[in-house]
Amino acid sequence: MASMAANAMRFSPVWRRNLLLLGLLALPMLSAQARSLEEIRATGTLRICVAGASAPLYQANGEAFARFLGVQAEVRRLASFDEQFHNAAGVTVESARYEARLLGDGSCDVFPNDLHIVAWRELKMLLVPYYTVRKVIVARRALRATLEGVADLKGRSAAVQEGTAYDTWLMQMNSEQFAKNPVVITYASTEESVRLVAEGAADFTVLGTEGAFKWVRGDVARLAILFPVDDPVPVGWGVRLGAKSLAAELERFFAESRRVGSDLDGNWQQYYRVSLMEYQLYQASFGSGKLDFKAMLVRTAPAIAAVLALLVAMLVWALRSSIRHRKAVDALRSNLEATVAAVASTVESRDPYTAGHQRRVAELAAAIAGEMGLKSSVIQGIRFGALIHDLGKVQVPEELLAKPTGLTKWEFELLKAHPQVGYEIVKDIQFPWPVAAMIRQHHERLDGSGYPQGLKGEEILIEARILAVADVVEAMASHRPYRPGLGIEVALAEIEKNAGRWYDHNVAAACLSLFRKKSFVLANDEPASVAANG
């Protein structure tokens, strides 16, 4: 009987499963080896190995992935960033093909360390991408006029973390383009490197765009992002070369994390001071391919957009109904105006230097449209569109909006995304007027030199052509954080000079007539002293 029981126990599926679990749990105590996704789930643990100055972020992201898999995270802090790429002998050989030791022996299941995906690293692990990055130069603001391009870095001093892609780039430049006058490199952690730059002990550092946002936004008075030095590079996490099932789950995790409020989105916001979804917007501005704006909603926009959509839908319904609903129409229009004004205030609350800008632009644009003899319904639409034409700026870092100096080329590229962002926020709202198109086109120019679409001539809506002129006049005449107001005469001279080139002739003529012949005055401004000629 005892023998029969023993045989039953030996062949029982329950006992076989238990023995498998015991064997898997005993693996770390024996000779370690790489684990499959099935083994990770069976043991209930994911071995996460983090490294570098951003290890707290990598750990939080790795733990989010463990939760996604339904297991616990087992975290190990590596002694150096380079340790991820060591071979069995404990060294990194870039040109050699081998499996990274820590992945191959099962010490680590995943490196969630946002690794730049370059050819030599792909010889050692399977890298799963989830965003792109560019190397950028971060320096003291005082050096912005001196360091305008890569050639200006020759002979300068830099601080950078050893073993990173930024270190590799500097070493390559020193051996090639900078060979006769190399950069003097000090090795330090990323945090220490940024401090050395801010204090003047080093001229610059090299960072990825995501890290640059974090450090520059934390010390905007002393630091600036100057320019990129390479093309966009994919960034991802590393798993062992044969771990295709784990890599597939990682791809699914990244796909599901590309939304506002995901764990990765929140972790980025906390660590970099820019959310993952905001970063993907910025990423699009430096040429990394088409961005899915549907996946990204501005944090303050969903509720605003929802209210706007509801009010607009009700207004359209009322307008199509009997005249008996006139009071309802008026009430709805009033509520819509109040909501649009609230949206404008939301944008301008982040930029106190331009408070009232959208309202003044709306008043001037409506006056220009009236001077041109457009229908009252068209004028009303222009006013609504103008009141929220800068809605997309809710995605622009406040530090850029309030900078006391002019924007760098890099910072301006970030700012230029705001017309498209504003369009994406309101495009699904069925306004009775082309509000979304007005928002997207208000920086277009007749000769095609504008943005974001590079439209020309009649391709630009007349409403947007009017808004463009009103926007330029108000912006030039009014105070900005980096300069005092230039005055209405300078603004009108700009419109007159470029009429037919950048600005619509008829729109420009109507604007000039308003100020020079009919004494139009921008709200809250003193009456303009403008010659009555022209």
Side-chain angles (χ1 to χ4, degrees):
M1 293 292 293
S3 176
M4 291 176 62
N7 287 334
M9 290 171 60
R10 182 173 61 188
F11 293 107
S12 166
V14 174
W15 274 93
R16 285 202 301 270
R17 184 187 64 194
N18 290 341
L19 286 172
L20 173 62
L21 289 174
L22 287 171
L24 291 173
L25 291 170
L27 281 176
M29 295 181 286
L30 302 172
S31 58
Q33 59 182 2
R35 306 190 306 163
S36 67
L37 176 61
E38 292 73 19
E39 290 168 332
I40 290 169
R41 284 183 164 143
T43 59
T45 60
L46 178 72
R47 295 172 188 162
I48 297 166
C49 294
V50 299
S54 300
L57 170 68
Y58 304 150
Q59 178 174 334
N61 287 345
E63 290 170 343
F65 181 47
R67 289 193 296 273
F68 178 82
L69 294 178
V71 299
Q72 296 294 314
E74 184 179 294
V75 181
R76 172 177 173 178
R77 180 72 179 264
L78 303 183
S80 70
F81 199 81
D82 193 52
E83 190 178 357
Q84 299 170 92
F85 314 109
H86 282 180
N87 60 16
V91 295
T92 298
V93 183
E94 290 190 4
S95 60
R97 183 179 188 87
Y98 56 84
E99 183 152 74
R101 176 178 60 84
L102 294 176
L103 294 173
D105 68 13
S107 298
C108 308
D109 296 319
V110 61
F111 294 143
N113 300 316
D114 291 0
L115 301 171
H116 290 203
I117 300 177
V118 292
W120 70 266
R121 289 177 175 173
E122 291 183 297
L123 297 175
K124 298 154 182 60
M125 62 186 71
L126 181 58
L127 290 160
V128 182
Y130 84 102
Y131 68 96
T132 59
V133 69
R134 289 183 82 169
K135 299 180 190 71
V136 295
I137 299 300
V138 173
R140 296 191 312 283
R141 288 195 172 277
L143 292 177
R144 286 188 307 160
T146 305
L147 304 180
E148 296 184 333
V150 172
D152 297 325
L153 303 178
K154 294 179 182 178
R156 291 284 181 169
S157 60
V160 71
Q161 182 170 315
E162 189 173 12
T164 61
Y166 318 120
D167 174 29
T168 301
W169 180 82
L170 277 175
M171 295 295 289
Q172 181 179 351
M173 295 301 292
N174 274 350
S175 67
E176 298 174 358
Q177 190 172 336
F178 300 163
K180 294 182 179 180
N181 193 11
V183 171
V184 178
I185 303 174
T186 297
Y187 288 116
S189 68
T190 300
E191 183 175 6
E192 179 67 9
S193 295
V194 172
R195 186 188 66 79
L196 291 172
V197 171
E199 294 178 355
D203 292 327
F204 70 92
T205 187
V206 189
L207 297 173
T209 38
E210 77 283 54
F213 287 131
K214 168 186 170 64
W215 297 109
V216 172
R217 292 180 77 171
D219 195 354
V220 71
R222 295 190 294 177
L223 298 173
I225 300 174
L226 299 192
F227 50 83
V229 297
D230 66 352
D231 294 325
V233 175
V235 172
W237 295 5
V239 298
R240 67 182 180 86
L241 287 170
K244 293 183 179 180
S245 295
L246 183 59
E249 285 299 284
L250 194 50
E251 289 177 346
R252 195 162 66 88
F253 170 66
F254 290 151
E256 294 189 13
S257 295
R258 293 188 182 99
R259 58 179 175 80
V260 171
S262 71
D263 286 340
L264 289 192
D265 187 62
N267 291 343
W268 272 60
Q269 177 67 47
Q270 183 175 357
Y271 186 78
Y272 288 129
R273 302 182 186 180
V274 56
S275 73
L276 174 60
M277 300 315 298
E278 288 174 319
Y279 178 77
Q280 287 197 297
L281 163 67
Y282 304 141
Q283 170 181 303
S285 74
F286 54 70
S288 62
K290 185 175 178 59
L291 174 67
D292 181 9
F293 279 94
K294 276 188 173 295
M296 180 199 67
L297 289 175
V298 182
R299 293 184 181 276
T300 55
I304 292 171
V307 173
L308 280 172
L310 177 61
L311 287 172
V312 169
M314 292 174 67
L315 178 59
V316 171
W317 169 81
L319 287 171
R320 290 174 178 174
S321 299
S322 168
I323 194 65
R324 291 174 298 179
H325 295 290
R326 178 55 52 195
K327 290 185 178 180
V329 170
D330 292 342
L332 286 168
R333 184 178 287 112
S334 178
N335 286 336
L336 181 57
E337 290 173 355
T339 304
V340 169
V343 173
S345 297
T346 298
V347 176
E348 292 176 348
S349 68
R350 305 178 71 249
D351 184 6
Y353 293 95
T354 57
H357 165 71
Q358 293 180 113
R359 175 177 52 78
R360 290 191 292 272
V361 169
E363 291 175 358
L364 176 55
I368 292 173
E371 182 71 6
M372 293 175 66
L374 299 184
K375 295 179 179 179
S376 60
S377 60
V378 175
I379 295 173
Q380 186 177 48
I382 290 172
R383 184 187 298 276
F384 272 102
L387 278 171
I388 55 173
H389 73 273
D390 279 338
L391 176 60
K393 286 185 178 179
V394 295
Q395 278 285 40
V396 177
E398 292 181 33
E399 292 84 353
L400 294 191
L401 295 177
K403 269 191 65 175
T405 56
L407 300 180
T408 66
K409 292 180 181 178
W410 178 250
E411 291 167 334
F412 184 58
E413 286 302 311
L414 301 184
L415 183 64
K416 283 171 62 176
H418 80 270
Q420 182 69 30
V421 176
Y423 167 81
E424 295 295 334
I425 292 171
V426 303
K427 69 178 183 180
D428 293 326
I429 300 175
Q430 300 300 310
F431 285 100
W433 321 280
V435 171
M438 288 172 59
I439 291 173
R440 180 157 61 171
Q441 295 179 13
H442 77 273
H443 279 290
E444 301 288 355
R445 297 294 181 257
L446 286 187
D447 64 356
S449 63
Y451 58 88
Q453 297 173 283
L455 301 179
K456 294 182 179 180
E458 296 296 321
E459 294 175 337
I460 307 169
L461 292 176
I462 184 60
E463 293 92 339
R465 282 178 266 158
I466 292 171
L467 177 52
V469 168
D471 190 37
V472 169
V473 170
E474 199 288 328
M476 292 186 67
S478 300
H479 177 75
R480 287 294 179 269
Y482 52 88
R483 62 154 173 80
L486 300 177
I488 193 64
E489 294 186 46
V490 173
L492 295 181
E494 158 68 16
I495 299 301
E496 190 169 37
K497 175 183 176 181
N498 290 298
R501 178 191 176 198
W502 292 343
Y503 314 116
D504 183 282
H505 263 303
N506 294 332
V507 176
C511 178
L512 295 173
S513 175
L514 279 175
F515 285 95
R516 291 176 172 169
K517 296 179 180 180
K518 299 188 177 180
S519 302
F520 183 87
V521 178
L522 288 173
N524 298 329
D525 288 343
E526 293 297 321
S529 175
V530 182
N533 62 327

